[in-house]
Amino acid sequence: MIRGFFFFIMLWITSVTNAQESTASKNVSTFTIEAPQLKTTKKIWIYLPKDYSATAKKYSVIYMHDAQNVFDAKTSFSGEWNVDEKLDSLKAPVIVVGIEHGNEKRIDELTPFKNEKYGGGNADNYLDFIVKTLKPYIDKNYRTKPKAKNTIIMGSSLGGLVSYYAILKYPEVFGKAGVFSPAFWFSNDIYTLTEQTPKIKTKIYFLCGDKESDDMVKDMTKMERLLDTKRCYCLHLTKSKIVKSGEHNEKLWRDGFVKAFLWLGY
């Protein structure tokens, strides 16, 4: 089921037209930035907390993939995450940076390894863009707390996969990760890389639904067990939530966002 849904998204991102009014809050804006690592430009969505212009405070930052689905029902696939409204209600002192997916290049950008059927495998360049181009720009132009302990990376499905990969590749940059419905099925190499990583100190919140696919819970649990060999369980660096009757969709991720955010901390 999850792989059929995955293919359906691929069709949608190249053809969907949505006449709905924008639901993004006034605290959300967009800009474009050159992405030399990907040989393109990227549209970036940014959420600033309500008090941003009234204070001199610095803020933690969440980097999120598939920005079209994060703030605005108009641009979303099947409903948004409502991240802006949820953070407004919490009065959370955090900046959110959403990176739009690359439409037909989404698979390439969000997968660290190739899949025999779907291809992919360009996540190194995608993450290099975030780490070496986008994050320096954000830290220069906004009042951020740039250290790893204040930098979260978060996404779902392929976005969950690349968020997990990011903490293995750049542990000095991303100190926390929200890994929702991770597409670990895409390549077994993600397990091998975990096994080969000596220590993993990143704080990680896993979430999936038990109705997503036959293998989702099993694959996520397998990764959790591998992580247990890399750090003491007593440190409480891993949190896992399996949602009863949860399906592979924005509702699952939207409903799980606040608990994940609060547990990860900022």
Side-chain angles (χ1 to χ4, degrees):
M1 178 172 63
I2 186 173
R3 300 182 195 191
F5 179 89
F6 168 80
F7 179 69
F8 184 65
I9 290 179
M10 293 304 100
L11 295 178
W12 165 78
I13 60 179
T14 59
S15 62
V16 68
T17 300
N18 192 337
Q20 181 174 346
E21 292 295 321
S22 173
T23 59
S25 78
K26 64 181 181 180
N27 299 322
V28 175
S29 60
T30 64
F31 64 88
T32 58
I33 186 172
E34 291 293 323
Q37 298 85 349
L38 300 169
K39 298 179 181 178
T40 188
T41 59
K42 277 289 188 184
K43 184 177 179 180
I44 306 300
W45 299 57
I46 186 162
Y47 165 88
L48 299 176
K50 284 184 175 181
D51 67 348
Y52 183 85
S53 62
T55 74
K57 293 190 300 186
K58 293 185 176 182
Y59 300 86
S60 297
V61 182
I62 308 175
Y63 288 87
M64 299 187 71
H65 318 288
D66 295 323
Q68 293 96 323
N69 299 337
V70 174
F71 303 113
D72 197 343
K74 181 178 175 64
T75 59
S76 69
F77 166 58
S78 61
E80 55 158 317
W81 285 40
N82 296 118
V83 166
D84 44 348
E85 291 89 351
K86 291 179 182 296
L87 294 178
D88 280 350
S89 67
L90 292 172
K91 297 181 180 179
V94 65
I95 293 171
V96 181
V97 178
I99 305 110
E100 283 206 354
H101 60 63
N103 295 306
E104 72 280 358
K105 295 181 179 179
R106 180 176 183 267
I107 296 175
D108 285 341
E109 291 177 357
L110 300 185
T111 55
F113 309 106
K114 287 187 179 295
N115 175 282
E116 184 176 344
K117 182 176 181 180
Y118 296 110
N122 197 32
D124 284 334
N125 286 330
Y126 173 71
L127 291 176
D128 284 352
F129 157 67
I130 295 175
V131 170
K132 297 177 182 178
T133 300
L134 180 59
K135 188 177 186 297
Y137 177 88
I138 295 296
D139 290 340
K140 179 180 178 181
N141 290 279
Y142 298 90
R143 298 193 310 275
T144 67
K145 297 177 180 178
K147 293 184 178 179
K149 67 179 181 179
N150 302 113
T151 306
I152 303 170
I153 191 162
M154 180 179 287
S156 62
S157 194
L158 292 182
L161 170 63
V162 78
S163 294
Y164 180 79
Y165 179 65
I167 64 99
L168 300 182
K169 184 175 183 182
Y170 288 112
E172 75 283 3
V173 176
F174 304 109
K176 301 171 183 178
V179 180
F180 287 9
S181 304
F184 291 144
W185 60 266
F186 198 85
S187 172
N188 284 326
D189 289 343
I190 194 66
Y191 295 106
T192 303
L193 181 61
T194 302
E195 291 172 344
Q196 294 173 345
T197 303
K199 291 184 179 180
I200 301 173
K201 299 180 180 180
T202 307
K203 197 173 184 181
I204 304 171
Y205 189 104
F206 287 109
L207 177 140
C208 75
D210 65 4
K211 299 296 184 183
E212 293 197 55
S213 72
D214 293 337
D215 297 328
M216 176 60 74
V217 173
K218 181 182 71 174
D219 289 349
M220 199 174 80
T221 301
K222 178 181 177 181
M223 191 62 80
E224 288 181 69
R225 298 290 78 81
L226 277 177
L227 280 170
D228 286 344
T229 68
K230 304 298 175 180
R231 70 264 199 104
C232 179
Y233 180 80
C234 61
L235 297 175
H236 304 293
L237 293 175
T238 306
K239 176 75 172 178
S240 179
K241 174 69 174 178
I242 299 172
V243 179
K244 183 175 176 58
S245 300
E247 299 180 350
H248 195 80
N249 55 34
E250 275 75 20
K251 181 182 185 306
L252 175 69
W253 309 321
R254 176 173 63 244
D255 291 349
F257 172 77
V258 169
K259 286 185 178 179
F261 167 70
L262 293 176
W263 185 84
L264 288 167
Y266 49 88

